[in-house]
Amino acid sequence: MESRKVNILGTEYEIQDDTNLNKTQLDGLHEEYAKRISIRPTEDMLVNDDNENLKKLRYSEVARHEVMHAFFVESGLEDYCANEQLVNWFAIQSPKIFKVFQELDIL
């Protein structure tokens, strides 16, 4: 399993590609107490005949979604962490928001 570390609001998380998720219906998993985010490997995303670009896009979407869960938890907003619609909104809209911030040079 490929693994990397990331600091989320002062807490170190391990992010790993996890082939064990292939046995589940999950593409990603945020483990609050283990401080771990597991993501199905890029090549295992979507279906076998989808092209590599689509699989990479899905991987990025899942990774952002699971990282957002961690941000909610580390902010003390665990109740919001269970709101998949809210987590998805942040995960989907954040690249668009950051692009505007970059265009305005306000990052």
Side-chain angles (χ1 to χ4, degrees):
M1 278 186 258
E2 181 183 331
S3 177
R4 51 213 177 273
K5 303 280 185 184
V6 65
N7 184 305
I8 297 177
L9 300 177
T11 300
E12 187 172 277
Y13 273 77
E14 177 184 5
I15 299 180
Q16 63 184 21
D17 289 355
D18 188 350
T19 56
N20 291 324
L21 289 176
N22 293 338
K23 302 171 191 169
T24 72
Q25 297 295 316
L26 302 174
D27 284 340
L29 178 65
H30 165 254
E31 296 175 80
E32 177 180 353
Y33 296 107
K35 304 302 180 195
R36 181 172 44 239
I37 293 170
S38 300
I39 306 167
R40 188 185 297 250
T42 304
E43 61 272 9
D44 297 332
M45 288 288 174
L46 302 172
V47 295
N48 289 338
D49 60 348
D50 282 322
N51 70 47
E52 186 176 340
N53 288 335
L54 288 176
K55 290 174 181 267
K56 286 179 181 178
L57 177 63
R58 177 63 184 156
Y59 182 93
S60 294
E61 290 172 346
V62 171
R64 281 195 309 271
H65 177 93
E66 299 306 331
V67 166
M68 286 297 160
H69 276 293
F71 269 99
F72 278 117
V73 166
E74 298 306 323
S75 296
L77 300 172
E78 292 89 349
D79 291 347
Y80 293 106
C81 189
N83 183 331
E84 291 296 321
Q85 184 178 21
L86 182 62
V87 171
N88 259 348
W89 186 89
F90 275 103
I92 292 167
Q93 301 308 329
S94 60
K96 300 168 193 171
I97 293 167
F98 296 143
K99 183 177 182 231
V100 171
F101 287 172
Q102 287 174 328
E103 287 174 10
L104 295 174
D105 195 25
I106 58 173
L107 274 179

